[in-house]
């Protein structure tokens, strides 16, 4: 029979490390897995990959395989088992090598073409609005190949948090369980807000007279409208703290963050004679 070059099957050199062999196998088995591949020979290629990794992924069987001639055989070349093997057929020799491999890390015994390996996890980033973090949301994401998935964004999530969706990663091989999907939370850019953990900083524009005289002001926040009191003589950059009005606590534990309103002075333009006269009067009164 023809010699089976398992190194050639996995696309690695004979000197490849165990880690390089594992990475090559996982990359190719994902590419040719019948559930995701469009290749006509996907099933046959998957069986070849499983067989190759079943030997090269095991130290003892790899050593036995390497002893066949340390590279003197090439793929497709007529092969004869070494005399010390006992005189069986070449087909039996390769079948024996493969059938003997047992549990591998991440895989399970499964017969000649039954090597089972859990699917790879998928990591992705999902952008949400600050409003979503306050109230929760439903989102639909695309995972490719016309596969859409509805995702529940729980109330109280924070930037950098990961949502784990069991079984939504890459499919496993030969009936093994699929990997998981990990979605990292990121907030959409919004110049109105700055977020630090669960604390939220919101810019609030006020007129010069409101800053000088103080008084009540209605402000729209991510949790709804609130009425705040601006102290007289407030300067630009002053922070008004609204305790507990930051990102809500997650369902598990913890406390809600705080909302800080950062005052910014909005100066109306002197674009009419009357307004200009008012500014000139102020200049005369306050100097400068």
């Amino acid at each position: 029979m023809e010699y089976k070059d398992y190194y050639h099957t996995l696309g690695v050199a004979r000197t490849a490390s165990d880690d390089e062999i594992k990475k090559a196998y996982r990359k190719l088995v994902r590419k040719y897995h019948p559930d995701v591949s469009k290749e006509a020979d996907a099933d046959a290629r998957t069986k070849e990959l499983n067989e190759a990794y079943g030997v090269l992924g095991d130290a003892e069987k790899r050593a036995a395989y390497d002893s066949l001639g340390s590279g003197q055989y090439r793929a497709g070349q007529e092969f004869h088992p070494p005399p010390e093997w006992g005189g069986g057929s070449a087909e039996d020799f390769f079948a024996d090598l493969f059938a003997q491999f047992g549990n591998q890390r991440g895989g399970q015994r499964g017969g000649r073409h039954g090597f089972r390996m859990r699917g790879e996890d998928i990591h992705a980033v999902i952008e949400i609005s600050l409003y979503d973090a306050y109230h929760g949301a439903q989102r639909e994401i695309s995972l490719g190949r016309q596969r859409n998935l509805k995702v529940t964004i729980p109330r109280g999530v924070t930037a950098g948090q990961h949502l784990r969706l069991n079984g939504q990663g890459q499919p496993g091989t030969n009936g093994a369980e699929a990997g998981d999907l990990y979605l990292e939370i990121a907030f959409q850019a919004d110049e109105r807000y700055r977020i630090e953990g669960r604390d939220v900083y919101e810019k609030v524009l006020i007129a010069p007279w409101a800053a000088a005289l103080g008084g009540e002001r209605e402000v729209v926040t991510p949790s709804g409208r609130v009425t705040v009191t601006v102290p007289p003589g407030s300067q630009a950059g002053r922070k008004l703290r609204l305790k507990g009005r930051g990102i809500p606590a997650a369902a598990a534990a913890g406390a809600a963050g705080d909302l800080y309103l950062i005052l910014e002075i909005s100066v109306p333009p002197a674009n009419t004679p009357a307004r200009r006269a008012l500014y000139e009067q102020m200049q005369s009164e306050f100097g400068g």
Side-chain angles (χ1 to χ4, degrees):
M1 68 170 292
E2 295 180 349
Y3 175 72
K4 296 181 180 181
D5 189 338
Y6 291 143
Y7 291 100
H8 178 76
T9 299
L10 295 181
V12 297
R14 283 185 168 267
T15 56
S17 66
D18 293 342
D19 189 54
E20 288 172 334
I21 289 174
K22 181 186 295 184
K23 288 181 179 179
Y25 167 74
R26 287 183 170 179
K27 179 180 179 180
L28 290 170
V29 84
R30 287 198 302 268
K31 176 180 178 181
Y32 289 103
H33 194 283
D35 289 345
V36 298
S37 178
K38 295 181 179 179
E39 302 290 336
D41 61 344
D43 186 61
R45 290 285 284 130
T46 298
K47 290 179 180 179
E48 291 175 0
L49 293 169
N50 288 337
E51 181 174 334
Y53 185 68
V55 173
L56 300 186
D58 181 277
E60 292 184 4
K61 277 167 273 301
R62 182 181 180 184
Y65 175 77
D66 287 344
S67 70
L68 297 179
S70 300
Q72 66 177 340
Y73 287 102
R74 296 192 301 273
Q77 185 177 353
E78 185 68 20
F79 170 72
H80 301 283
E84 61 269 22
W85 183 69
S89 71
E91 286 191 15
D92 288 341
F93 179 84
F94 279 105
D96 234 20
L97 269 181
F98 183 80
Q100 289 176 23
F101 86 87
N103 292 340
Q104 303 287 342
R105 184 179 180 183
Q108 303 173 16
R109 184 187 302 272
R112 176 169 171 78
H113 294 309
F115 182 71
R116 303 178 70 242
M117 175 171 284
R118 179 183 181 276
E120 291 284 315
D121 294 333
I122 297 176
H123 294 262
V125 175
I126 183 170
E127 286 194 341
I128 65 171
S129 68
L130 183 57
Y131 183 89
D132 294 338
Y134 270 78
H135 304 280
Q138 294 284 333
R139 291 287 178 270
E140 185 170 271
I141 60 175
S142 174
L143 299 179
R145 295 178 62 84
Q146 298 181 341
R147 180 188 171 201
N148 295 326
L149 182 66
K150 290 185 177 180
V151 178
T152 298
I153 308 297
R155 179 176 180 267
V157 294
T158 55
Q161 181 177 339
H162 287 81
L163 303 180
R164 177 184 178 186
L165 282 70
N166 294 332
Q168 297 298 334
Q170 296 286 1
T173 59
N174 290 321
E177 65 179 355
D180 298 330
L181 172 62
Y182 289 87
L183 296 177
E184 180 180 349
I185 296 295
F187 288 119
Q188 297 165 351
D190 192 326
E191 62 180 12
R192 295 173 297 173
Y193 305 111
R194 177 166 57 89
I195 305 167
E196 295 182 2
R198 294 191 181 280
D199 293 337
V200 178
Y201 296 79
E202 178 180 354
K203 298 177 182 178
V204 177
L205 296 177
I206 61 173
W209 51 88
L213 302 176
E216 291 187 342
R217 176 182 174 84
E218 188 178 69
V219 178
V220 178
T221 74
S223 61
R225 293 180 178 271
V226 296
T227 299
V228 297
T229 299
V230 177
S234 293
Q235 300 293 319
R238 181 163 188 167
K239 297 177 183 177
L240 305 181
R241 179 189 180 194
L242 280 64
K243 184 175 176 59
R245 281 193 170 268
I247 296 177
D258 297 331
L259 175 64
Y260 293 88
L261 302 179
I262 312 299
L263 301 184
E264 293 190 354
I265 309 299
S266 175
V267 180
N271 53 2
T272 66
R275 288 185 173 185
R276 183 173 181 82
L278 286 173
Y279 275 116
E280 290 174 345
Q281 182 180 349
M282 291 174 62
Q283 183 181 36
S284 175
E285 184 70 26
F286 294 108

